[in-house]
């Protein structure tokens, strides 16, 4: 069995994953200027599926009915997540979308409470209250208040939580490469079905949109999933969650530096409250994990 990578290497590649994910907000915004959301998702995941198929050629013989079924289940959740992701970004700034998408951290315990009666701790209750206050400030700030794009981005956060829970509940000792291939293919099929139902008019794909599709397919899909599957298993979910809270930081920087987005004071305060609502419960959980580890660590 190969040795575990160093702590520094693990943290570096997980942070790099958040950089690529943060970049997907910028390039999705650019691509969605020219393309309807469903077409953008179709092209992105079709290309990602082809790339993953090339990587999976040596192991295709292991693709069985169980892998296809499980991949299809988690792929359906991923498909809804990505369709709402693009619709949300098309309708709001990437600065606001990045912060709102991070609410998935708070949706996970809420879903667990509804479905499995799991207890919601005081820190998560405090996070939910802070997030509600942050959303209220976003609604009061800016020219459009809490618009349709913000609502869809919040809904996307819910589906991100659903996807994460589905992965943890459905997948067992599956081949992560084949599962990813099935997932990406299912998302492409879902987007293709949506395009067929909508029957959009003829479109012209600009050079910028093609570059955005390529970036999102290669970096935000294939590379990010590979890095996540490779390195996240060496940290706890809480530690991974804390690292992934960097996503909105990169989207905010991209929105400011590239698109010239600006936030009103109330929007800044609202984004700050939502960010704290996500970070505080994770930080408390992380400290609890460290205490437990120190308590049960063998002496000497």
């Amino acid at each position: 069995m190969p040795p575990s990578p160093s702590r520094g290497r693990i943290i570096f590649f997980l942070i790099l994953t958040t950089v690529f994910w943060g970049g997907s907000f910028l390039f999705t915004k650019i691509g969605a200027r020219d393309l309807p959301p469903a077409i953008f998702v179709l092209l992105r995941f079709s290309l990602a599926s082809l790339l993953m198929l090339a990587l999976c050629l040596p192991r295709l013989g292991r693709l069985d009915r169980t892998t296809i079924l499980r991949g299809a289940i988690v792929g359906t959740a991923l498909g809804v997540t990505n369709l709402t992701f693009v619709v949300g970004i098309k309708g709001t700034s990437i600065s606001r979308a990045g912060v709102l998408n991070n609410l998935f951290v708070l949706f996970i315990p809420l879903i667990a409470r509804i479905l499995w009666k799991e207890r919601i701790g005081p820190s998560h209750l405090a996070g939910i209250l802070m997030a509600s206050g942050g959303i209220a400030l976003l609604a009061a700030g800016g020219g459009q208040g809490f618009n349709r794009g913000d609502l869809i981005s919040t809904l996307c956060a819910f589906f991100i939580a659903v996807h994460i829970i589905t992965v943890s509940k459905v997948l067992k000792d599956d081949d992560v490469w084949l599962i990813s291939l099935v997932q990406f293919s299912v998302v492409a099929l879902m987007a293709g079905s949506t395009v067929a139902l909508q029957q959009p008019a003829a479109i012209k794909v600009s050079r910028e949109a093609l570059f955005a599709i390529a970036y999102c397919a290669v970096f935000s899909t294939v590379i990010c999933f590979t890095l996540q599957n490779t390195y996240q298993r060496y940290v706890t979910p809480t530690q991974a969650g804390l690292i992934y809270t960097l996503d909105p930081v990169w989207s905010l920087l991209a929105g400011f530096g590239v698109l010239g987005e600006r936030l009103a004071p109330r929007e800044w305060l609202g984004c700050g409250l939502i960010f704290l609502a996500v970070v505080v419960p994770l930080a408390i959980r992380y400290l609890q994990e460290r205490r437990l580890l120190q308590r049960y660590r063998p002496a000497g």
Side-chain angles (χ1 to χ4, degrees):
M1 187 174 180
S4 300
S6 67
R7 182 75 176 174
R9 184 181 179 87
I10 293 167
I11 299 301
F12 171 79
F13 279 110
L14 288 179
I15 291 176
L16 184 62
T17 300
T18 70
V19 174
F20 291 149
W21 275 336
S24 71
F25 286 85
L26 171 64
F27 287 104
T28 297
K29 186 75 171 181
I30 292 171
R33 288 173 177 171
D34 296 335
L35 300 172
I39 292 180
F40 183 85
V41 175
L42 171 62
L43 295 175
R44 169 185 174 177
F45 278 89
S46 295
L47 178 55
S49 298
L50 290 173
L51 292 171
M52 189 57 70
L53 177 61
L55 293 171
C56 288
L57 282 176
R59 58 208 327 141
L60 282 180
R62 290 181 246 162
L63 184 63
D64 56 17
R65 188 173 180 178
T66 301
T67 302
I68 293 173
L69 177 61
R70 290 175 178 169
I73 293 171
V74 295
T76 300
L78 184 64
V80 179
T81 298
N82 277 275
L83 287 166
T84 53
F85 174 73
V86 181
V87 174
I89 285 180
K90 192 176 180 72
T92 189
S93 69
I94 65 172
S95 308
R96 292 164 68 114
V99 173
L100 290 168
N101 279 178
N102 241 29
L103 287 172
F104 76 86
V105 174
L106 300 180
F107 279 124
I108 289 175
L110 282 175
I111 295 170
R113 171 65 181 172
I114 293 169
L115 295 182
W116 299 287
K117 309 300 180 186
E118 293 183 8
R119 179 176 172 271
I120 298 178
S123 62
H124 277 101
L125 284 174
I128 291 167
L129 290 174
M130 282 193 289
S132 300
I135 289 174
L137 286 166
L138 282 182
Q144 299 179 345
F146 197 78
N147 60 30
R148 180 175 176 270
D150 295 325
L151 178 62
I152 300 298
S153 292
T154 305
L155 185 63
C156 176
F158 173 80
F159 287 123
I160 293 172
V162 170
H163 178 250
I164 291 171
I165 292 172
T166 303
V167 168
S168 66
K169 296 291 183 180
V170 172
L171 300 186
K172 307 300 179 186
D173 296 323
D174 302 281
D175 185 312
V176 293
W177 294 85
L178 292 175
I179 285 289
S180 295
L181 172 62
V182 175
Q183 278 193 88
F184 298 165
S185 301
V186 167
V187 177
L189 287 172
M190 289 176 65
S193 300
T194 304
V195 171
L197 289 172
Q198 293 176 341
Q199 296 182 340
I203 57 168
K204 183 179 180 180
V205 184
S206 66
R207 184 181 303 174
E208 290 80 8
L210 284 174
F211 185 82
I213 291 165
Y215 175 92
C216 290
V218 175
F219 292 96
S220 304
T221 308
V222 175
I223 292 179
C224 277
F225 270 81
T226 302
L227 290 175
Q228 184 184 20
N229 290 334
T230 302
Y231 292 101
Q232 187 178 315
R233 54 186 159 166
Y234 296 109
V235 298
T236 68
T238 304
Q239 291 169 332
L242 281 169
I243 293 170
Y244 294 155
T245 57
L246 288 170
D247 283 359
V249 175
W250 309 129
S251 65
L252 277 166
L253 290 174
F256 269 57
V258 180
L259 300 180
E261 295 179 353
R262 295 294 182 267
L263 296 177
R266 283 189 181 181
E267 290 178 289
W268 270 117
L269 185 56
C271 288
L273 269 179
I274 293 172
F275 187 75
L276 285 176
V278 171
V279 170
V280 168
L282 285 172
I284 291 173
R285 179 66 180 169
Y286 175 69
L287 292 174
Q288 290 172 341
E289 288 178 357
R290 283 182 62 88
R291 287 197 200 101
L292 283 173
L293 185 63
Q294 291 170 356
R295 183 181 302 174
Y296 293 105
R297 183 178 292 163

